[in-house]
Amino acid sequence: MAEPSTGERIAKIIARAGICSRRDAEKLIAEGRVALDGKTVTTPATKVGEGHVVAVDGKPLTEPESARLWRYHKPSGLVVTHKDPQGRPTVFTNLPKQLPRVVSVGRLDFNTEGLLLLTNDGEIARRLELPTGGWVRKYRVRLFGKPTQAQFDKLAEGVTIDGVKYGPVIADLERSGGTHAWATVSIKEGKNREVKRVMESLGLKVARLIRVQFGPFHLGQLAEGEVEEIPAKLWREHLGIGRKKTKPE
Ligand code: URA
């Protein structure tokens, strides 16, 4: 069959099959590990039409399952990657066995705890983690130091640290005394190490960081290491998508 010029981009098809994110699918293509109808694919611009077979490492993709989304309570001491070059334990090798292959919606640092969303659909992960989605990420933070609310209020207009521009940070001091304080911190973009870097800019060291909310989803009473599926109807409504729309039409 000739390569079609219409259809969906191949990286999107691979992401939807739950193999990896769209960006990682582009890497697989660059590494020559993806084939379309038996022929190695050389560009992520390749489109896949009805009836064509995409394979990764020689294995044809299976029909995508319906997209699913889970809340997971990440413990401290796990890295959010499928393969860690430093060999540290990963979130994915410590998940309950009943879970299918999943990807995470964004990342949390090795020592960060709390709410991490997981999905079997790389496209859904991408949509949820886009900073343009503007979803609030809320954290409870234990800090070394003696912060004041006045200090925190200055963060509301955003800060630039070492040339990196961070958006508004809403920080509320919960309690302070002795050498430590607790605060609630809300951000919208979720840049790399955002909370830690912003707090460091005030001379405060983050001793514990727990994500308690991601957009409309809450950590709630979910126990450490546990997962709970979010009903499709609920998250689809929040994302503004109808049923089954993530499957090819
Ligand atoms: N901000 C951080 O500094 N680390 C995280 O893991 C999440 C937000």
Side-chain angles (χ1 to χ4, degrees):
M1 249 189 274
E3 226 172 74
S5 56
T6 57
E8 288 201 272
R9 284 168 76 99
I10 195 159
K12 194 168 175 183
I13 305 257
I14 296 169
R16 195 187 289 127
I19 304 272
C20 56
S21 68
R22 201 193 289 190
R23 201 174 326 132
D24 285 342
E26 285 171 2
K27 279 191 212 145
L28 292 177
I29 294 164
E31 288 164 6
R33 294 167 61 186
V34 176
L36 176 59
D37 298 330
K39 217 171 116 204
T40 302
V41 172
T42 50
T43 160
T46 305
K47 300 239 175 105
V48 181
E50 227 15 66
H52 292 263
V53 179
V54 177
V56 175
D57 292 334
K59 268 198 243 144
L61 300 186
T62 48
E63 268 291 296
E65 264 198 53
S66 294
R68 296 169 73 187
L69 188 68
W70 290 263
R71 292 183 304 126
Y72 168 59
H73 186 155
K74 178 195 177 293
S76 168
L78 294 178
V79 63
V80 186
T81 180
H82 282 276
K83 207 163 180 200
D84 182 40
Q86 295 172 46
R88 293 171 297 179
T90 80
V91 155
F92 300 101
T93 49
N94 282 276
L95 288 174
K97 296 287 168 265
Q98 78 271 17
L99 228 62
R101 188 183 159 83
V102 290
V103 292
S104 64
V105 175
R107 292 180 180 202
L108 290 173
D109 296 338
F110 184 71
N111 287 324
T112 303
E113 307 159 54
L115 181 62
L116 183 67
L117 298 178
L118 304 170
T119 171
N120 62 341
D121 185 323
E123 272 304 293
I124 293 291
R126 199 184 64 88
R127 272 180 82 151
L128 285 166
E129 66 197 24
L130 282 179
T132 47
W135 277 3
V136 170
R137 287 100 157 125
K138 196 172 192 177
Y139 297 84
R140 289 201 65 228
V141 192
R142 186 169 187 251
L143 297 157
F144 274 127
K146 288 190 176 167
T148 62
Q149 188 58 49
Q151 237 184 335
F152 283 166
D153 290 345
K154 291 200 190 109
L155 302 172
E157 281 164 24
V159 271
T160 301
I161 306 163
D162 295 337
V164 181
K165 233 176 163 173
Y166 295 94
V169 176
I170 307 301
D172 291 305
L173 192 58
E174 283 178 22
R175 57 193 145 93
S176 176
T179 51
H180 285 87
W182 276 96
T184 305
V185 176
S186 297
I187 55 174
K188 278 201 174 163
E189 285 171 299
K191 285 201 171 112
N192 191 25
R193 296 173 51 82
E194 181 160 351
V195 175
K196 288 180 193 153
R197 299 204 68 205
V198 168
M199 289 298 148
E200 273 160 19
S201 77
L202 300 178
L204 301 163
K205 193 166 159 27
V206 171
R208 217 174 145 193
L209 187 56
I210 309 160
R211 184 154 69 190
V212 293
Q213 188 183 340
F214 187 103
F217 309 113
H218 295 257
L219 180 65
Q221 298 306 309
L222 194 64
E224 204 177 81
E226 295 269 297
V227 285
E228 196 169 285
E229 186 162 2
I230 304 170
K233 189 172 176 308
L234 189 84
W235 64 258
R236 283 178 183 280
E237 266 169 26
H238 284 305
L239 271 166
I241 51 174
R243 279 185 58 228
K244 308 268 181 213
K245 219 171 166 188
T246 62
K247 278 191 159 190
E249 277 152 14

